[in-house]
């Protein structure tokens, strides 16, 4: 289900502008994902779990959205596709799987670094995300200041 809330759409557009994305991707709610996810190589789409929206401050939501948009900005979806092709071809080699796990972890850290360098502050704790059902909280390691204010 597509996001239709005007306030949330402004927040998403603002985060896309801060990361200098050429266009704002579609953002939708999906009950089948446990954590925010980016799908699609040619036309990326951000999927947010429906339960994620309860109990989040605008700053937390802005940090999560900006992290997912950072994956699009860095072309991580293309690199992930290449990584999966290499894993398929060299599935028998244990070093390929070790490197793949390291690349996945570094990809998340790089996105967090991009979010911090674009104006968010690092958070000391993950906040309420870990308490809301054990969602992996690497994407909530930053907090966006001023995300609750809209200039438009």
């Amino acid at each position: 289900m597509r996001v239709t809330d005007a306030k949330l759409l402004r927040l998403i557009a603002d985060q896309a502008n801060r990361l200098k994305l050429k266009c704002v991707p579609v953002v939708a709610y999906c009950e089948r994902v446990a954590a925010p996810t980016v799908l699609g190589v040619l036309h990326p789409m951000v999927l947010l779990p429906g339960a994620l929206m309860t109990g989040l401050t605008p700053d937390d939501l802005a940090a999560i959205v900006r992290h997912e948009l950072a994956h699009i900005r860095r072309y991580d979806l293309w690199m992930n596709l290449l990584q999966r092709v290499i894993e398929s071809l060299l599935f028998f080699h244990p070093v390929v799987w070790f490197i793949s796990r390291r690349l996945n972890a570094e990809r998340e850290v790089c996105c967090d670094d991009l979010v911090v360098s674009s104006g968010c502050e690092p958070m000391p704790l993950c906040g309420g995300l870990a308490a809301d059902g054990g969602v992996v909280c690497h994407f909530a390691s930053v907090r966006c200041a001023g995300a609750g204010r809209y200039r438009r």
Side-chain angles (χ1 to χ4, degrees):
M1 175 171 60
R2 277 187 158 187
V3 171
T4 57
D5 180 28
K7 219 173 169 184
L8 184 55
L9 289 172
R10 283 194 305 268
L11 175 95
I12 294 164
D14 183 49
Q15 299 309 313
N17 287 337
R18 288 176 189 240
L19 287 176
K20 297 178 178 64
L21 288 177
K22 294 176 184 171
C23 63
V24 180
V26 173
V27 178
Y29 298 116
C30 181
E31 295 300 324
R32 294 184 179 199
V33 296
T37 307
V38 179
L39 298 175
V41 177
L42 297 176
H43 301 287
M45 176 183 213
V46 178
L47 296 179
L48 299 173
L52 182 75
M53 301 308 296
T54 58
L56 280 182
T57 66
D59 291 343
D60 292 339
L61 183 60
I64 291 169
V65 168
R66 198 180 298 188
H67 174 93
E68 296 306 319
L69 295 177
H71 284 293
I72 297 170
R73 174 83 169 99
R74 295 184 65 247
Y75 300 101
D76 283 345
L77 300 170
W78 285 100
M79 297 312 298
N80 198 26
L81 179 63
L82 176 65
Q83 183 179 339
R84 297 300 169 245
V85 168
I86 292 171
E87 286 173 358
S88 298
L89 295 174
L90 300 172
F91 67 91
F92 54 86
H93 205 294
V95 173
V96 169
W97 295 105
F98 172 76
I99 292 172
S100 182
R101 281 192 304 274
R102 293 292 305 175
L103 283 173
N104 290 338
E106 286 302 317
R107 187 178 299 125
E108 297 302 325
V109 170
C110 288
C111 285
D112 285 342
D113 289 345
L114 181 59
V115 170
V116 169
S117 70
S118 70
C120 292
E121 297 177 13
M123 285 175 31
L125 296 173
C126 293
L129 291 177
D132 282 348
V135 174
V136 178
C137 57
H138 59 78
F139 53 80
S141 62
V142 292
R143 175 180 300 263
C144 295
R149 296 185 301 260
Y150 301 107
R151 289 177 269 157
R152 296 180 189 177

